[in-house]
Amino acid sequence: MINIAIYASGSGTNAENLITYFKSSKKANVKIILCNNANAGVIERAARLKVPCEIFSKENLKGTKDILDREGIDFIILAGFLLKVPDEIIEAYPRRIVNIHPALIPNYCGKGMYGHHVHEAVIAAHEKESGITIHLVDNHYDHGQILFQAKCSIDSTDTPDDLAAKIHILEQTYFPKVVDEYLTTQASIDRICSDLFAESDINLMRFALNDTYSQEELDDLLKVWDLEVAGAQKALLLSYVMKAHPDLKFPDYFGPRLSGLINYYRFHNVKLMSNFKKICSEISNEGIEIVPIKGGAMKALRPDYPREMGDIDILVPETDYLRAVNIAKRLGYKLFKDIHSTDIHEKETNDSVMDIHKWILITSGKGRKITPQIFERASKHNVFGVDVLLPCNEDILFISMINFSRNIMDRTSQKGAPFTLFDIKYLIQSKDTFDWNIIKENAVKTSSEAEISLLSRFINHIIPHLIPSEMETLSEEKEIRAFGSLWLFRRFYLSPLQERSHQLGVSEVMRHPSNLPAFICVRPKYTFMKLFKYSPRAAGVIIKAKCFSSN
């Protein structure tokens, strides 16, 4: 259950509407009203609706943070609240404070523009329309990311009171619904984040990806962080910090072990790189262009920061794809074909060494639409001993984000999630003129706006402000919410069903006939449900129909 606190200064009609709306909700609950005006009508409404209300002075606004902590508040709504929210509260609730403004931002907003003052200004300017804006709260008045706007027309005879009545109807109609929709998306992010990362993981990532490091912060982290429990993958991220900041002092127990991890992983992928050189040298000799993608591209960009790789992915022109695959076959490798790529395995060990892609696998199915641009923007590099084309930072980032989203949904490569965030930060900051328009263009061409928006919110939930806020609104809220449903559907229902279905294969049932009833139950269900693997809207319908619980 999401606990909501409402800040209000006036009569409280919006507060009452929100309380009534969420009264029977299984998702959210208005736990407390906070009011800075001892004579406000919202106090009486709160008493009548049996919601606790605490009054505070303007001077003690920062102190309400203690009340929020005490009540376990997850989300804040401003409903006719006239004071500027302190930075301390905004930082404690990133993307979790929503305000409603009685005008169409960016017009008629800012300090002093509230209530009747807004309507008087709109009428005085002879505007033809006005409306409401529901937006996230940042450090400036009426400035945060817009979630929703609704308009109403203004007649030539309308007075400020007439306009106020029209605005009131819009507020009562839309405010609770928009908040509810936004909470649905945030609930999806929260649930997946808590399933994917322990609190210690998030603390580690936030420390490792900080722009500034202090010895005190490191000491505090290491007091509660267990290297043995965390394991090599997570400790490697801390090794990166030690390598990049030799001025930091690590305790004797940590220092040698973290240094050893760097050296271990430096040689861990030698065999992979040897196979890459063997296969790609032959592909290149045939005049086929090669573009390393994902982890292989990042390893090439940052050779001093080794990492574990399951295989190395490359992209080749679709017209040359079969030739490239046949070259690998000619060299004695085993092939496992998929719709968009072929997995190359060693015959002796059956170890995967490379994926040859003809296009990027994207949920929308439109990955091939950006392949020409990836090749056009790539530049020549020598990677693991072979001359290839390395994608630009923006294309590597886009592919990494798409791949990260798929890994979230399908429960794959979960150990590599912290490194994806590390990669994203590096790709952005290592280029003076990182062009986010390329990310937007790729998203539009592949119909991935909602996916990129949702993932941007997910990333910023873990590492605040890593991705620009503009990337969180590439799509409409309802589309982003629908993609959140797809995340839930695939991660918590389809992926476990797929795993169980594979465990109950035909050969397994033949060996153990007692598994036949389970096979009959699971296999048809999985076969049917995977039809909706790429459909956000269908996933939303399935969740709503309670085919499985998202709680």
Side-chain angles (χ1 to χ4, degrees), residues 450-461:
E451 185 168 12
I452 293 297
S453 294
L454 181 63
L455 187 66
S456 296
R457 295 180 185 186
F458 181 81
I459 292 170
N460 284 341
H461 175 74

Side-chain angles (χ1 to χ4, degrees), residues 81-126:
F81 186 62
L82 305 184
L83 302 181
K84 186 175 182 293
V85 180
D87 292 349
E88 293 86 346
I89 294 179
I90 292 173
E91 290 171 6
Y93 290 86
R95 298 191 55 80
R96 292 172 182 272
I97 308 176
V98 170
N99 180 48
I100 187 166
H101 183 71
L104 299 172
I105 291 175
N107 299 321
Y108 307 102
C109 63
K111 189 173 183 179
M113 275 291 169
Y114 61 88
H116 223 263
H117 299 289
V118 176
H119 309 314
E120 289 171 353
V122 170
I123 293 295
H126 304 290

Side-chain angles (χ1 to χ4, degrees), residues 181-205:
E181 290 174 355
Y182 184 73
L183 286 175
T184 299
T185 303
Q186 288 303 117
S188 301
I189 290 172
D190 288 345
R191 184 180 178 196
I192 289 172
C193 185
S194 62
D195 186 63
L196 183 59
F197 299 117
E199 185 177 351
S200 59
D201 298 335
I202 294 177
N203 290 336
L204 171 63
M205 288 186 290

Side-chain angles (χ1 to χ4, degrees), residues 222 267 312 364 406 418:
L222 296 183
F267 297 100
I312 298 176
S364 66
R406 187 168 66 254

Side-chain angles (χ1 to χ4, degrees), residues 23 27 63 93 95 117 159 261 306 324 336 434 452-453:
K23 188 174 182 179
K27 180 195 308 174
Y93 290 86
R95 298 191 55 80
H117 299 289
T159 65
L261 278 175
F336 295 87
F434 191 91
I452 293 297
S453 294

